[in-house]
């Protein structure tokens, strides 16, 4: 068989159009050959569905392929049994609702499982069986481990081989689904999980024919990365609705999420700023922006803090090099500062060394177990490269745009400097470097206009970030007193051109940067 496969590859290698299909066929052949001589320690799950129920699943798949989407109401649970080791686990099983992309001809379809009779499957009662390729194989596991290491919440994530009605379907990821109620560490009562209603997104994909066209529509705001224009999903599960305390928590959790959408609540009133900042920084480090999609991001309500905690699934890390979307930081200075501080920590090579020490043994074992279907790339080299990108982001080439006012103002004992934030993060104005010899610490009394473009925090001047892609630069004006400069440097010659540099730091990071103020006039000065 291996020789036959190699011969087919040799015959068709010149046909570019046949290459993707051929690669898929070859991958399927490799997977089936691996069953004959499995080089894996992964557990095997043997699922059995009766003939009538399986035909129902096939019919639902055919309908989903025509629509491009499998809607939740079109996917019906059927009775099944799964043998795992010595355990026979009764389950309800169905195709996982969502894009029909995961229902292709290779039969490695995604499924949703609910155990019956209070049984558990690999320690889980609600499980999604996912093609690991959907989330970049082992990188999903490693990313979730990094979240857990920082005290952030994730569901369980394991790997197993699935045999369905005698047909080997290859290696699957068992992804724990924690909705609608989870139990936080140290708590005896459950906590509700809230999320956005993605039904409009699914309908848009079906309407336009593909995901790309739906999210690119310039009229609607159904971009998969911005949940502000989606309804908050109703929690109608009996586990919640029939419990008075959980019903109250569901109402409060929903109110928090809706308050965030409407702008009535700041992000730091909805999330724990430090916790959410760490979450966003790790998403950025791992290139896991899919974690922020309303399809994948859920929130757990913590009644002790009255805040929502992020719960990420299907993050697809280190797959396309994406960075954190600007809107993910919510234009909230507390969230932004927490993200920046955490990003600075996670971009330090020492963090990566510690993470590697913590998970390398388990990672290497899983890497060997998955080798039957995938050759892993160098996780640590990829993360080191991402760390470098983060460090560069936090040390921008031009954090502010600074312009000098009219030099004639010096005759009135004033040096005027206009300063605008050029970043999507808040900046602290630390002061002004005068000709490399004198430094004036910033003073809010020197600001002559632009009061709406900054915040004062204990007399610290914090420039607000650029708000949106089409936002104009928002300048504030400083009138530096010449008399105070002379007090510090009596030898300074104001008859010659003086270089002024603005000293700033990204809020949350102590590093200082100097940006020269360009000579020139502004607003007719």
């Amino acid at each position: 068989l291996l020789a036959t496969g190699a011969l087919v590859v040799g015959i068709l290698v010149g046909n570019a159009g046949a290459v993707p299909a051929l690669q898929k066929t070859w991958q399927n052949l490799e997977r089936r050959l691996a069953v004959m001589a499995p080089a894996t320690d992964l557990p095997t799950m043997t699922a059995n569905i009766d003939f009538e129920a399986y035909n129902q699943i096939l019919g639902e798949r055919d309908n989903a392929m025509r629509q491009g989407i499998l809607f939740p109401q079109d996917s019906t649970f059927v009775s099944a049994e799964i043998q795992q080791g010595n355990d026979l686990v009764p389950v309800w099983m169905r195709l996982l609702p969502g894009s029909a992309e995961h229902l292709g001809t290779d039969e490695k379809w995604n499924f949703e499982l609910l155990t019956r009779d209070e049984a558990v499957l690999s320690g889980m009662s609600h499980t999604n069986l996912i093609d690991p390729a959907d989330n970049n194989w082992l990188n999903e596991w490693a990313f979730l481990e990094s979240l857990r290491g920082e005290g952030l919440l994730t569901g369980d994530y394991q790997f197993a081989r699935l045999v369905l009605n005698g047909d080997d379907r290859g290696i699957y990821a068992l992804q724990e689904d924690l909705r609608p109620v989870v139990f936080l560490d140290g708590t005896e009562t459950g906590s509700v999980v809230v999320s956005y209603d993605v039904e409009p997104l699914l309908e848009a994909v079906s309407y336009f024919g593909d995901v790309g066209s739906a999210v690119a529509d310039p009229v609607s705001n159904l971009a998969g990365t911005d949940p502000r224009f989606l309804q908050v999903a109703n929690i109608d599960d009996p586990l919640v609705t029939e419990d008075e305390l959980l019903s109250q928590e569901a109402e409060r959790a929903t109110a928090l999420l809706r308050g965030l959408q409407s702008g009535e609540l700041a992000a730091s009133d909805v999330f724990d700023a430090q916790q959410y900042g760490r979450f966003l920084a790790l998403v950025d480090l791992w290139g896991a922006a899919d974690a922020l999609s309303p399809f994948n991001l859920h929130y757990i309500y913590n009644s002790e803090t009255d805040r929502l905690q992020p719960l990420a699934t299907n993050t697809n890390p280190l797959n396309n090099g994406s960075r954190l979307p600007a809107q993910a930081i919510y234009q909230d200075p507390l969230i932004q500062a927490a993200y920046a501080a955490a990003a600075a920590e996670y971009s330090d090579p020492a963090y990566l060394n510690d993470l590697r020490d913590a998970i390398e043994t388990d990672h290497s074992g899983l890497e060997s177990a998955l080798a039957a279907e995938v050759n892993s790339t160098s996780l640590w080299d990829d993360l080191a490269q991402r760390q470098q990108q983060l460090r560069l982001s936090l040390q921008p080439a031009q954090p502010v745009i600074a312009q000098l006012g009219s030099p004639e103002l010096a005759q009135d004992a004033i040096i005027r400097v206009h300063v605008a934030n050029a970043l999507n993060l808040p900046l602290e104005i630390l002061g002004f470097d005068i000709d490399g010899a004198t430094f004036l610490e910033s003073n809010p009394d020197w600001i002559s206009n632009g009061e709406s473009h900054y915040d004062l925090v204990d007399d610290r001047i914090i420039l607000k970030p650029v708000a949106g892609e089409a936002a104009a630069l928002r300048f504030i004006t400083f009138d530096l007193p010449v008399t105070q400069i002379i007090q510090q440097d009596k030898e300074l010659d104001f008859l010659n051109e003086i270089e002024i540099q603005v000293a700033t730091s990204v809020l949350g990071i102590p590093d200082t940067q100097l940006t020269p103020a360009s000579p020139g006039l502004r607003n007719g000065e």
Side-chain angles (χ1 to χ4, degrees), residues 404 414-417 431-441 446 478-482 484-486 488-494 496-503 514-517:
L404 293 174
I414 290 174
I415 295 178
R416 180 162 290 172
V417 185
F432 302 86
D433 180 274
I434 314 296
D435 239 19
T438 300
F439 187 80
L440 290 183
E441 293 186 3
W446 301 340
F478 290 86
D479 287 339
L480 308 184
V482 171
Q484 192 157 341
I485 297 173
I486 293 176
Q488 296 193 40
D489 189 353
K490 295 182 175 57
E491 298 181 359
L492 196 62
D493 184 2
F494 285 94
N496 295 317
E497 183 176 326
I498 297 175
E499 182 181 34
I500 307 291
Q501 296 190 88
V502 184
L514 293 176
T515 304

Side-chain angles (χ1 to χ4, degrees), residues 185-233:
D185 289 342
T187 62
E188 297 181 356
T189 57
S191 299
V192 296
V193 181
V194 294
S195 58
Y196 293 102
D197 181 7
V198 298
E199 193 83 7
L201 279 172
L202 296 176
E203 292 174 351
V205 172
S206 178
Y207 179 74
F208 281 96
D210 62 85
V211 175
S213 298
V215 300
D217 176 25
V219 176
S220 65
N221 286 296
L222 292 178
T225 57
D226 194 340
R228 291 176 298 172
F229 302 99
L230 295 173
Q231 291 281 357
V232 179

Side-chain angles (χ1 to χ4, degrees), residues 74-89:
D74 295 334
S75 184
T76 306
F77 283 102
V78 299
S79 176
E81 290 183 331
I82 293 181
Q83 183 79 42
Q84 188 173 37
N86 296 324
D87 297 326
L88 184 63
V89 183

